[in-house]
Amino acid sequence: MSRQEAAAQYATALKQGRKTYHDCVLRGRYPYPQVLDEIISETMVAGQMDLGVVEIPIHQIKGTKSAGRRTAFAADFMPLLDPDTEFGGKWMDLCQAHLGDEGIREPIRCYEYLGRFYVQEGNKRVSVLKSYGAPVIPGYVTRMVPVWSQDPEILAYYDFLESYPKTRLYRVRFSRTGSFQKLQKALGYEADHVWTDDERRRFTAGYTYFQEPFRKLGGGELNITVADALLVWLKVYDFDQLVSLPSGELMKSIKAVWADVKALTEPIEVKTDTPEPKDSSLLGRLFKGKPIHLSVAFISDQLPEHSDWARAHDLGRQYLEAVMGDRVTTQVFDGVRPGGEAEDAMEMAIENGAQLIFAVTPPLIGACRKTAARHPDVRILNCSVSMPYAGVQTYYSRIYEGKFIAGAIAGALSRDGRIGYVASSPIFGVPASINAFALGAQLTNPEARILLRWSCVEENAMEDLSRQGITLISNRDIPTPDRILEPWGLCRVENGRFCALASPYWHWGNVYTNLVRGVFNGGWDALGPRGNQAVNYWWGMNSRAIDILLGENLPAGVRQLAEILRRGIIDGSIQPFQGATTEEILHMDQLSPCVEGSIPAYGDLLPMARSIVRLQGVYREDIPPEKEDPIL
């Protein structure tokens, strides 16, 4: 490389440096590289660790170790000094060396803190290589380990520290804890798998290939990492596809899940009211052209004759058909296994004209997401809560409202204040139901104590409570209104038999009818874009999504109280959790002081209960993923 060419490269870099400097000044940002010694103090560092020579992602080099000649560089490490200075001459010497026979071989020396690198020796080498767009630079690295805290960035970094010995890559950085375990699963590795050199090179090639379209789509402006976005993509596609897709097809596939990528930066929007019957409603904005007929498919991984849950949803489908008449045509796919079989069912439904698909159990979320990415003109909803995907909306019911009323009934009828409660599984909404029941019981009986048991831990929880002399027990909620004579909901124990007194129940028919009416009223534009925020419909008594059945043997005064509470919840004058936000209620993971019991650990659960807890558990982010589960 001639000196003239080196001078031209310096002129280009200098122009970029001065532009960066002025842009930073205009935006009120620091215009020079950050100085590590000015950022941290000794009290912020738990220790240091020499890593030897590491391939440093050059975009993660953020500054210098000490002040030194920081004013010679703009914030992006491009030069600021005139070319006829000693600095400019040495910069051009390195430029010639970089493109000469020897190249720039000597590693820089730097410190790393929270995944960012600060140069101690080699600032000009970094500047030259950055000007040529080099992706990495070798360097001797000293890691400065931050003092542990609950700060989200610190937690994510400690998660990275656990993954680094397996990958030896600084590029694999996530903004959320638990993501590396999901990456291992997505790549087909066991949780403790240590990457080989070939696997590291293969991943780096795919990561680099993915990085360019990520940035072209504006990923650099989002508060997420490339690895975050790649993991979202891998929840729908295979890594083998990443390294084999032409660039145009890769861009198309990333666009298909881009709404889910952007949804990482937004909280899940929980809709607690039914859609308004006008164009300003959420569904009206999504579906702009108003249809006159809808083809709706229902997908279940269970059979109605074998599952109360599947039967309740199938009755809801029948209710939808009865109410909407010939405006709706339904298709039914029952007993399909999550994964490929469920995807095939959804594809068949779409081929048969389905415009709207309801998948009625959480394990179908993986198939929902993959189908949604392939068919952006089809609306797909999954019966679950707190799923962070913009491409698949979710729906569920606020059953805790009915539990509050059941608790008030139990408190009014209890003689000694000891009331049993059998909870299902520690999933979203269940702790809220337990606490709402407890609040209701203390409303009518301030001395009430709730003895908590879990059916996901012991198979005969009701019988165990009965043997302890508990005469009032809240069992599982009634699945359908025609099952009131069975021991569902709040029961009284009489002579060893369980007599049903009251039970909350789901009315899925109203849920489906409200959603479909929302489409008709708000309009339907099959080609309209989805939003960038995950949406969860979480309806309660005011939407007729749930209700409570009262037994014939309830005393008249208690029945009247229950009706008063029911009307108050419907009109909003009574709220079991006064002052709590929807988010706080949905993700509640602490129990009321009057509850004697605790939320069981994952290891204590019966095997049959573990899959749903992995998908919907209040502590699901702390459970390492397994191969048979979709990656959340």
Side-chain angles (χ1 to χ4, degrees):
M1 184 184 195
S2 68
R3 194 67 175 183
Q4 185 176 1
E5 291 171 319
Q9 182 68 15
Y10 189 84
T12 300
L14 179 62
K15 182 179 179 180
Q16 176 60 46
R18 289 176 175 173
K19 180 180 184 302
T20 299
Y21 177 89
H22 288 297
D23 286 346
C24 288
V25 171
L26 288 173
R27 288 172 172 77
R29 299 173 183 169
Y30 189 66
Y32 305 111
Q34 301 169 16
V35 177
L36 182 62
D37 289 344
E38 297 175 355
I39 296 173
I40 64 173
S41 63
E42 292 183 1
T43 59
M44 298 169 62
V45 179
Q48 296 186 13
M49 183 184 306
D50 289 330
L51 303 183
V53 177
V54 172
E55 277 202 342
I56 303 169
I58 207 160
H59 71 275
Q60 290 178 229
I61 298 177
K62 300 298 182 182
T64 60
K65 173 63 170 62
S66 56
R69 299 193 66 179
R70 62 178 169 182
T71 56
F73 303 96
D76 60 357
F77 268 91
M78 291 300 98
L80 291 175
L81 302 182
D82 291 335
D84 57 357
T85 60
E86 179 185 5
F87 172 92
K90 290 182 177 179
W91 198 101
M92 285 181 268
D93 289 342
L94 285 170
C95 191
Q96 287 183 281
H98 173 59
L99 295 184
D101 294 334
E102 294 185 3
I104 297 177
R105 295 184 177 182
E106 184 180 358
I108 65 173
R109 292 185 178 274
C110 62
Y111 286 77
E112 177 261 313
Y113 180 72
L114 289 177
R116 307 177 188 97
F117 294 85
Y118 301 86
V119 182
Q120 184 179 31
E121 296 177 10
N123 292 318
K124 287 188 287 294
R125 277 170 275 169
V126 171
S127 182
V128 169
L129 291 176
K130 269 201 169 192
S131 76
Y132 281 102
V136 296
I137 184 172
Y140 292 101
V141 175
T142 299
R143 174 182 291 159
M144 303 186 76
V145 181
V147 173
W148 187 90
S149 75
Q150 289 284 354
D151 180 273
E153 185 178 24
I154 301 294
L155 292 176
Y157 184 77
Y158 269 79
D159 206 45
F160 160 75
L161 292 183
E162 292 185 13
S163 69
Y164 182 78
K166 301 178 180 68
T167 67
R168 306 293 298 178
L169 287 175
Y170 261 97
R171 292 185 172 201
V172 187
R173 293 293 312 281
F174 296 98
S175 62
R176 303 179 181 202
T177 59
S179 296
F180 176 73
Q181 289 82 358
K182 296 175 183 178
L183 176 64
Q184 290 278 68
K185 170 180 163 54
L187 297 175
Y189 303 150
E190 296 294 337
D192 58 353
H193 176 73
V194 178
W195 295 11
T196 65
D197 289 342
D198 286 343
E199 289 167 345
R200 190 177 299 110
R201 282 191 291 268
R202 181 170 175 268
F203 179 84
T204 299
Y207 178 97
T208 303
Y209 189 36
F210 182 89
Q211 185 172 264
E212 182 179 356
F214 168 79
R215 290 178 175 167
K216 283 183 178 179
L217 289 170
E221 303 301 317
L222 303 176
N223 190 29
I224 59 174
T225 68
V226 178
D228 288 331
L230 177 58
L231 184 57
V232 171
W233 188 89
L234 288 172
K235 294 173 184 178
V236 177
Y237 304 96
D238 296 328
F239 189 81
D240 289 340
Q241 293 175 275
L242 173 60
V243 296
S244 62
L245 281 175
S247 58
E249 290 298 311
L250 176 61
M251 175 65 81
K252 183 179 178 181
S253 71
I254 297 175
K255 286 181 177 179
V257 298
W258 193 246
D260 287 346
V261 172
K262 296 185 74 173
L264 292 175
T265 65
E266 297 284 346
I268 298 172
E269 183 178 8
V270 180
K271 293 288 185 180
T272 57
D273 295 313
T274 52
E276 298 177 10
K278 55 185 180 180
D279 289 343
S280 63
S281 68
L282 174 66
L283 288 175
R285 293 196 301 272
L286 292 176
F287 312 135
K288 296 178 182 177
K290 293 184 178 181
I292 59 174
H293 179 271
L294 281 178
S295 177
V296 184
F298 289 80
I299 315 291
S300 175
D301 59 356
Q302 302 168 10
L303 296 171
E305 56 266 32
H306 297 155
S307 162
D308 288 313
W309 183 264
R311 180 171 174 269
H313 283 273
D314 194 57
L315 289 175
R317 174 190 63 82
Q318 295 175 37
Y319 182 89
L320 171 69
E321 289 179 331
V323 171
M324 302 305 296
D326 57 7
R327 297 188 70 190
V328 168
T329 301
T330 66
Q331 305 177 49
V332 180
F333 298 84
D334 286 331
V336 299
R337 287 178 293 184
E341 192 172 314
E343 288 182 59
D344 291 342
M346 293 180 191
E347 290 290 342
M348 185 178 299
I350 294 170
E351 186 176 338
N352 293 337
Q355 302 154 286
L356 179 63
I357 294 177
F358 293 111
V360 305
T361 62
L364 296 174
I365 186 65
C368 290
R369 295 201 62 242
K370 292 184 178 182
T371 305
R374 292 192 295 267
H375 299 279
D377 56 335
V378 177
R379 300 299 167 178
I380 301 177
L381 292 92
N382 179 251
C383 188
S384 58
V385 291
S386 200
M387 293 293 189
Y389 308 121
V392 178
Q393 297 175 345
T394 59
Y395 60 100
Y396 211 70
S397 300
R398 301 196 301 272
I399 202 70
Y400 75 84
E401 294 177 348
K403 288 288 193 179
F404 175 75
I405 299 173
I409 294 171
L413 296 178
S414 176
R415 295 179 180 177
D416 61 4
R418 299 168 70 230
I419 304 169
Y421 190 109
V422 179
S424 56
S425 299
I427 60 177
F428 295 125
V430 168
S433 289
I434 298 169
N435 289 337
F437 183 90
L439 288 172
Q442 290 201 312
L443 176 70
T444 54
N445 187 341
E447 303 302 319
R449 306 294 300 175
I450 310 303
L451 282 67
L452 176 63
R453 298 290 186 274
W454 295 86
S455 61
C456 61
V457 174
E458 49 184 311
E459 296 182 357
N460 301 310
M462 275 195 81
E463 289 79 1
D464 178 60
L465 287 168
S466 176
R467 285 192 294 269
Q468 295 181 47
I470 307 300
T471 58
L472 288 170
I473 303 173
S474 174
N475 192 21
R476 292 178 298 167
D477 308 314
I478 190 170
T480 55
D482 59 347
R483 302 288 290 276
I484 187 61
L485 297 180
E486 300 181 34
W488 299 91
L490 179 64
C491 300
R492 185 193 297 279
V493 182
E494 297 178 343
N495 300 319
R497 301 181 64 182
F498 298 98
C499 175
L501 297 175
S503 178
Y505 69 92
W506 284 271
H507 198 314
W508 295 114
N510 282 333
V511 172
Y512 292 128
T513 301
N514 284 334
L515 285 168
V516 169
R517 277 180 174 158
V519 174
F520 282 123
N521 293 330
W524 178 287
D525 183 350
L527 301 178
R530 292 186 177 93
N532 293 322
Q533 188 172 21
V535 174
N536 179 195
Y537 298 102
W538 199 37
W539 293 341
M541 284 187 168
N542 64 337
S543 301
R544 298 186 300 132
I546 69 156
D547 211 328
I548 186 165
L549 284 172
L550 304 178
E552 296 179 356
N553 297 326
L554 279 182
V558 175
R559 177 183 293 274
Q560 185 177 13
L561 170 64
E563 290 291 353
I564 291 171
L565 295 176
R566 178 179 175 275
R567 288 195 298 270
I569 290 174
I570 290 174
D571 66 26
S573 61
I574 294 176
Q575 299 178 27
F577 300 106
Q578 185 70 38
T581 66
T582 300
E583 180 76 11
E584 290 169 342
I585 298 170
L586 181 58
H587 293 96
M588 197 173 285
D589 59 2
Q590 300 292 321
L591 300 178
S592 169
C594 74
V595 176
E596 297 180 4
S598 60
I599 296 175
Y602 181 76
D604 295 332
L605 304 181
L606 295 171
M608 62 183 179
R610 294 186 177 185
S611 60
I612 188 64
V613 175
R614 285 181 168 278
L615 288 168
Q616 296 279 260
V618 293
Y619 45 65
R620 71 180 179 190
E621 297 300 329
D622 299 326
I623 306 173
E626 291 184 349
K627 289 185 177 180
E628 65 271 16
D629 298 321
I631 308 172
L632 296 179

PDB file of all heavy atoms in Angstrom, residues 406-415 417 419 437 440-442 444-445 448 472 490:
ATOM      1  N   ALA A 406     -65.908 -17.081  45.991  1.00  0.00           N
ATOM      2  CA  ALA A 406     -65.911 -18.391  46.645  1.00  0.00           C
ATOM      3  C   ALA A 406     -65.272 -18.308  48.025  1.00  0.00           C
ATOM      4  O   ALA A 406     -65.719 -18.953  48.985  1.00  0.00           O
ATOM      5  CB  ALA A 406     -65.189 -19.413  45.775  1.00  0.00           C
ATOM      6  N   GLY A 407     -64.205 -17.494  48.148  1.00  0.00           N
ATOM      7  CA  GLY A 407     -63.562 -17.319  49.443  1.00  0.00           C
ATOM      8  C   GLY A 407     -64.476 -16.655  50.448  1.00  0.00           C
ATOM      9  O   GLY A 407     -64.519 -17.034  51.630  1.00  0.00           O
ATOM     10  N   ALA A 408     -65.247 -15.650  49.989  1.00  0.00           N
ATOM     11  CA  ALA A 408     -66.196 -14.975  50.885  1.00  0.00           C
ATOM     12  C   ALA A 408     -67.268 -15.946  51.368  1.00  0.00           C
ATOM     13  O   ALA A 408     -67.673 -15.916  52.543  1.00  0.00           O
ATOM     14  CB  ALA A 408     -66.824 -13.795  50.161  1.00  0.00           C
ATOM     15  N   ILE A 409     -67.719 -16.831  50.476  1.00  0.00           N
ATOM     16  CA  ILE A 409     -68.698 -17.847  50.866  1.00  0.00           C
ATOM     17  C   ILE A 409     -68.094 -18.794  51.899  1.00  0.00           C
ATOM     18  O   ILE A 409     -68.719 -19.109  52.923  1.00  0.00           O
ATOM     19  CB  ILE A 409     -69.170 -18.641  49.627  1.00  0.00           C
ATOM     20  CG1 ILE A 409     -69.942 -17.714  48.683  1.00  0.00           C
ATOM     21  CG2 ILE A 409     -70.024 -19.835  50.035  1.00  0.00           C
ATOM     22  CD1 ILE A 409     -70.267 -18.344  47.343  1.00  0.00           C
ATOM     23  N   ALA A 410     -66.856 -19.216  51.659  1.00  0.00           N
ATOM     24  CA  ALA A 410     -66.197 -20.139  52.589  1.00  0.00           C
ATOM     25  C   ALA A 410     -66.025 -19.492  53.960  1.00  0.00           C
ATOM     26  O   ALA A 410     -66.262 -20.134  55.001  1.00  0.00           O
ATOM     27  CB  ALA A 410     -64.841 -20.558  52.024  1.00  0.00           C
ATOM     28  N   GLY A 411     -65.606 -18.230  53.989  1.00  0.00           N
ATOM     29  CA  GLY A 411     -65.434 -17.542  55.265  1.00  0.00           C
ATOM     30  C   GLY A 411     -66.743 -17.421  56.032  1.00  0.00           C
ATOM     31  O   GLY A 411     -66.777 -17.599  57.261  1.00  0.00           O
ATOM     32  N   ALA A 412     -67.836 -17.165  55.315  1.00  0.00           N
ATOM     33  CA  ALA A 412     -69.143 -17.014  55.965  1.00  0.00           C
ATOM     34  C   ALA A 412     -69.649 -18.336  56.531  1.00  0.00           C
ATOM     35  O   ALA A 412     -70.349 -18.354  57.560  1.00  0.00           O
ATOM     36  CB  ALA A 412     -70.145 -16.450  54.963  1.00  0.00           C
ATOM     37  N   LEU A 413     -69.285 -19.440  55.878  1.00  0.00           N
ATOM     38  CA  LEU A 413     -69.794 -20.746  56.312  1.00  0.00           C
ATOM     39  C   LEU A 413     -68.878 -21.453  57.299  1.00  0.00           C
ATOM     40  O   LEU A 413     -69.287 -22.426  57.938  1.00  0.00           O
ATOM     41  CB  LEU A 413     -70.002 -21.645  55.087  1.00  0.00           C
ATOM     42  CG  LEU A 413     -71.056 -21.191  54.068  1.00  0.00           C
ATOM     43  CD1 LEU A 413     -71.107 -22.159  52.894  1.00  0.00           C
ATOM     44  CD2 LEU A 413     -72.424 -21.073  54.723  1.00  0.00           C
ATOM     45  N   SER A 414     -67.623 -21.002  57.420  1.00  0.00           N
ATOM     46  CA  SER A 414     -66.661 -21.699  58.268  1.00  0.00           C
ATOM     47  C   SER A 414     -66.935 -21.429  59.748  1.00  0.00           C
ATOM     48  O   SER A 414     -67.154 -20.282  60.154  1.00  0.00           O
ATOM     49  CB  SER A 414     -65.236 -21.253  57.918  1.00  0.00           C
ATOM     50  OG  SER A 414     -64.304 -21.852  58.780  1.00  0.00           O
ATOM     51  N   ARG A 415     -66.879 -22.492  60.540  1.00  0.00           N
ATOM     52  CA  ARG A 415     -67.094 -22.356  61.974  1.00  0.00           C
ATOM     53  C   ARG A 415     -65.794 -22.102  62.733  1.00  0.00           C
ATOM     54  O   ARG A 415     -65.779 -21.352  63.708  1.00  0.00           O
ATOM     55  CB  ARG A 415     -67.768 -23.619  62.513  1.00  0.00           C
ATOM     56  CG  ARG A 415     -69.172 -23.827  61.966  1.00  0.00           C
ATOM     57  CD  ARG A 415     -69.791 -25.100  62.519  1.00  0.00           C
ATOM     58  NE  ARG A 415     -71.153 -25.295  61.998  1.00  0.00           N
ATOM     59  CZ  ARG A 415     -71.902 -26.365  62.280  1.00  0.00           C
ATOM     60  NH1 ARG A 415     -71.432 -27.316  63.088  1.00  0.00           N
ATOM     61  NH2 ARG A 415     -73.113 -26.467  61.766  1.00  0.00           N
ATOM     62  N   GLY A 417     -62.800 -21.287  61.060  1.00  0.00           N
ATOM     63  CA  GLY A 417     -61.885 -20.443  60.280  1.00  0.00           C
ATOM     64  C   GLY A 417     -60.852 -21.223  59.489  1.00  0.00           C
ATOM     65  O   GLY A 417     -60.103 -20.629  58.720  1.00  0.00           O
ATOM     66  N   ILE A 419     -59.875 -23.341  56.475  1.00  0.00           N
ATOM     67  CA  ILE A 419     -60.424 -23.613  55.140  1.00  0.00           C
ATOM     68  C   ILE A 419     -59.316 -24.208  54.269  1.00  0.00           C
ATOM     69  O   ILE A 419     -58.208 -23.665  54.205  1.00  0.00           O
ATOM     70  CB  ILE A 419     -60.967 -22.326  54.493  1.00  0.00           C
ATOM     71  CG1 ILE A 419     -62.021 -21.673  55.408  1.00  0.00           C
ATOM     72  CG2 ILE A 419     -61.544 -22.606  53.115  1.00  0.00           C
ATOM     73  CD1 ILE A 419     -62.402 -20.271  54.980  1.00  0.00           C
ATOM     74  N   PHE A 437     -58.962 -15.669  46.986  1.00  0.00           N
ATOM     75  CA  PHE A 437     -59.790 -16.518  47.837  1.00  0.00           C
ATOM     76  C   PHE A 437     -59.557 -16.177  49.313  1.00  0.00           C
ATOM     77  O   PHE A 437     -60.504 -16.056  50.100  1.00  0.00           O
ATOM     78  CB  PHE A 437     -59.453 -17.987  47.569  1.00  0.00           C
ATOM     79  CG  PHE A 437     -60.296 -18.974  48.331  1.00  0.00           C
ATOM     80  CD1 PHE A 437     -61.479 -19.457  47.804  1.00  0.00           C
ATOM     81  CD2 PHE A 437     -59.896 -19.426  49.581  1.00  0.00           C
ATOM     82  CE1 PHE A 437     -62.256 -20.372  48.510  1.00  0.00           C
ATOM     83  CE2 PHE A 437     -60.670 -20.330  50.302  1.00  0.00           C
ATOM     84  CZ  PHE A 437     -61.849 -20.803  49.757  1.00  0.00           C
ATOM     85  N   GLY A 440     -61.199 -12.908  50.155  1.00  0.00           N
ATOM     86  CA  GLY A 440     -62.636 -13.089  50.280  1.00  0.00           C
ATOM     87  C   GLY A 440     -63.014 -13.747  51.589  1.00  0.00           C
ATOM     88  O   GLY A 440     -63.981 -13.337  52.257  1.00  0.00           O
ATOM     89  N   ALA A 441     -62.227 -14.759  51.996  1.00  0.00           N
ATOM     90  CA  ALA A 441     -62.510 -15.453  53.254  1.00  0.00           C
ATOM     91  C   ALA A 441     -62.348 -14.509  54.445  1.00  0.00           C
ATOM     92  O   ALA A 441     -63.168 -14.515  55.375  1.00  0.00           O
ATOM     93  CB  ALA A 441     -61.586 -16.657  53.391  1.00  0.00           C
ATOM     94  N   GLN A 442     -61.314 -13.672  54.425  1.00  0.00           N
ATOM     95  CA  GLN A 442     -61.107 -12.750  55.539  1.00  0.00           C
ATOM     96  C   GLN A 442     -62.109 -11.592  55.529  1.00  0.00           C
ATOM     97  O   GLN A 442     -62.340 -10.968  56.566  1.00  0.00           O
ATOM     98  CB  GLN A 442     -59.679 -12.211  55.499  1.00  0.00           C
ATOM     99  CG  GLN A 442     -58.633 -13.269  55.856  1.00  0.00           C
ATOM    100  CD  GLN A 442     -57.332 -12.657  56.309  1.00  0.00           C
ATOM    101  OE1 GLN A 442     -56.813 -11.760  55.658  1.00  0.00           O
ATOM    102  NE2 GLN A 442     -56.797 -13.149  57.421  1.00  0.00           N
ATOM    103  N   THR A 444     -65.307 -11.981  55.191  1.00  0.00           N
ATOM    104  CA  THR A 444     -66.460 -12.445  55.968  1.00  0.00           C
ATOM    105  C   THR A 444     -66.058 -13.131  57.270  1.00  0.00           C
ATOM    106  O   THR A 444     -66.916 -13.366  58.132  1.00  0.00           O
ATOM    107  CB  THR A 444     -67.293 -13.431  55.128  1.00  0.00           C
ATOM    108  OG1 THR A 444     -66.440 -14.489  54.654  1.00  0.00           O
ATOM    109  CG2 THR A 444     -67.911 -12.722  53.926  1.00  0.00           C
ATOM    110  N   ASN A 445     -64.753 -13.450  57.390  1.00  0.00           N
ATOM    111  CA  ASN A 445     -64.272 -14.120  58.600  1.00  0.00           C
ATOM    112  C   ASN A 445     -62.826 -13.692  58.841  1.00  0.00           C
ATOM    113  O   ASN A 445     -61.898 -14.325  58.339  1.00  0.00           O
ATOM    114  CB  ASN A 445     -64.368 -15.638  58.440  1.00  0.00           C
ATOM    115  CG  ASN A 445     -64.054 -16.386  59.727  1.00  0.00           C
ATOM    116  OD1 ASN A 445     -63.439 -15.848  60.652  1.00  0.00           O
ATOM    117  ND2 ASN A 445     -64.472 -17.637  59.796  1.00  0.00           N
ATOM    118  N   ALA A 448     -60.014 -16.189  59.432  1.00  0.00           N
ATOM    119  CA  ALA A 448     -59.861 -17.307  58.497  1.00  0.00           C
ATOM    120  C   ALA A 448     -58.392 -17.603  58.220  1.00  0.00           C
ATOM    121  O   ALA A 448     -57.571 -16.694  58.072  1.00  0.00           O
ATOM    122  CB  ALA A 448     -60.592 -16.997  57.198  1.00  0.00           C
ATOM    123  N   LEU A 472     -64.403 -27.466  54.869  1.00  0.00           N
ATOM    124  CA  LEU A 472     -64.613 -26.625  53.696  1.00  0.00           C
ATOM    125  C   LEU A 472     -63.325 -26.600  52.886  1.00  0.00           C
ATOM    126  O   LEU A 472     -62.263 -26.203  53.401  1.00  0.00           O
ATOM    127  CB  LEU A 472     -65.016 -25.205  54.088  1.00  0.00           C
ATOM    128  CG  LEU A 472     -66.437 -25.021  54.643  1.00  0.00           C
ATOM    129  CD1 LEU A 472     -66.594 -23.628  55.218  1.00  0.00           C
ATOM    130  CD2 LEU A 472     -67.471 -25.275  53.558  1.00  0.00           C
ATOM    131  N   LEU A 490     -65.698 -24.908  45.551  1.00  0.00           N
ATOM    132  CA  LEU A 490     -65.803 -24.951  47.008  1.00  0.00           C
ATOM    133  C   LEU A 490     -66.733 -26.092  47.419  1.00  0.00           C
ATOM    134  O   LEU A 490     -67.891 -26.143  46.993  1.00  0.00           O
ATOM    135  CB  LEU A 490     -66.341 -23.617  47.533  1.00  0.00           C
ATOM    136  CG  LEU A 490     -66.513 -23.528  49.053  1.00  0.00           C
ATOM    137  CD1 LEU A 490     -65.172 -23.652  49.764  1.00  0.00           C
ATOM    138  CD2 LEU A 490     -67.212 -22.229  49.430  1.00  0.00           C
TER     139      LEU A 490
END
